[in-house]
Amino acid sequence: MTGDMTLFPPPKSEQALLERAQALAGCSMEELATRAGIAIPRDLRRDKGWVGMLLELWLGACAGSKAEPDFADLGVELKTIPIDGQGRPLETTFVCVAPLTGNTGVVWQTSHVRHKLSRVLWMPVEGDRAIPLAQRRIGSPILWSPTPEEEQLLQRDWEELMDFIVLGQIERITARHGEVLQLRPKAANSKALTKAIGEHGQPIMTLPRGFYLKKTFTAPLLARHFLL
DNA sequence: TCCTGATCATTC
DNA sequence: GAATGATCAGGA
């Protein structure tokens, strides 16, 4: 058995996907890794995407495909989210890389952020570092689309952040900007650079950035599920 | 204690 | 370098 084989073909419907995801609830990383023939790292320091890749395998996501949803036929994106004992998120959620050039005329309606978040299967996973990785369990999955209120929050932040980028003010953006959506470095290290627009409209080199959902956005989203 | 800025692996 | 998958870790 090899690590890159798919345990399942892609699900044929949202319902099938959700049922498959629900069947994983309560399972430990040890169970899923062992049954997939995959070694479990001691921790995630050098394997940050390990849990996400493991769940892609079990859910039949198109691993490695790019610029497409994880479940292309269904238009569904898969997101694992580490949670504490109360079901609250332990980390922000990466959405997509921010385009730093060629943004003249871009609007929210056709943005990558909006498309990525239009339909998401959230897979909560115990993430407390006091719990050995092998013993961490999958939580109850949530198939989600933004409510009108949530989309409005996202759009407001996205437009504010994109304005900075287009106007050559990217170096002034910090993770504190945005109520629910923030812009932070997304790179191999602080020496990785990409082209952007400078304060006088000239090309500059800067850190690649990504859009991330703040915990203030994902926490209520997860909590709502437990109230229903 | 928590959040921001930095970082890790892998593929192409 | 860009894109996929994210979490780490020290300073505020």
Side-chain angles (χ1 to χ4, degrees):
Chain A
M1 191 175 276
T2 60
D4 64 348
M5 71 174 281
T6 49
L7 293 174
F8 293 102
K12 289 188 170 60
S13 68
E14 267 198 358
Q15 184 60 25
L17 171 59
L18 186 56
E19 286 174 8
R20 196 181 290 183
Q22 285 167 337
L24 298 181
C27 289
S28 68
M29 297 300 107
E30 180 164 52
E31 290 178 72
L32 299 186
T34 300
R35 292 168 63 186
I38 293 176
I40 306 175
R42 188 208 287 101
D43 55 54
L44 297 178
R45 270 181 291 185
R46 294 186 176 277
D47 296 88
K48 300 185 180 191
W50 187 82
V51 175
M53 304 301 267
L54 181 63
L55 288 182
E56 282 188 347
L57 196 61
W58 276 91
L59 293 173
C62 322
S65 75
K66 31 185 156 181
E68 276 196 345
D70 296 300
F71 302 96
D73 296 346
L74 306 178
V76 175
E77 187 73 20
L78 175 65
K79 285 291 175 199
T80 60
I81 184 165
I83 55 170
D84 66 14
Q86 273 62 245
R88 293 173 302 205
L90 285 166
E91 294 287 348
T92 56
T93 304
F94 173 69
V95 180
C96 60
V97 171
L100 303 185
T101 59
N103 284 311
T104 47
V106 296
V107 291
W108 166 250
Q109 292 301 320
T110 54
S111 68
H112 289 308
V113 172
R114 182 167 179 272
H115 284 141
K116 279 273 186 185
L117 298 179
S118 62
R119 197 71 172 151
V120 178
L121 178 65
W122 296 97
M123 294 295 288
V125 178
E126 288 180 325
D128 189 327
R129 291 184 216 177
I131 307 174
L133 179 57
Q135 294 173 25
R136 296 184 196 173
R137 294 168 301 174
I138 308 289
S140 181
I142 302 169
L143 194 50
W144 169 89
S145 289
T147 64
E149 293 75 20
E150 286 169 330
E151 177 154 351
Q152 190 168 51
L153 289 170
L154 293 169
Q155 179 174 354
R156 280 216 308 249
D157 287 348
W158 181 87
E159 288 175 345
E160 179 195 346
L161 294 167
M162 290 305 293
D163 278 346
F164 274 91
I165 292 173
V166 169
L167 296 175
Q169 302 294 304
I170 186 164
E171 303 289 18
R172 295 182 56 175
I173 302 177
T174 75
R176 281 157 283 255
H177 285 89
E179 186 179 339
V180 298
L181 189 71
Q182 64 183 177
L183 200 68
R184 306 215 311 273
K186 165 65 174 173
N189 54 61
S190 58
K191 293 154 203 130
L193 298 175
T194 191
K195 190 176 288 186
I197 307 300
E199 58 180 335
H200 303 299
Q202 82 283 21
I204 62 169
M205 297 303 283
T206 189
L207 278 173
R209 315 298 168 95
F211 287 107
Y212 294 80
L213 295 175
K214 292 187 176 183
K215 290 193 270 185
T216 51
F217 185 82
T218 49
L221 187 162
L222 296 176
R224 192 194 315 155
H225 178 73
F226 289 102
L227 293 175
L228 294 177

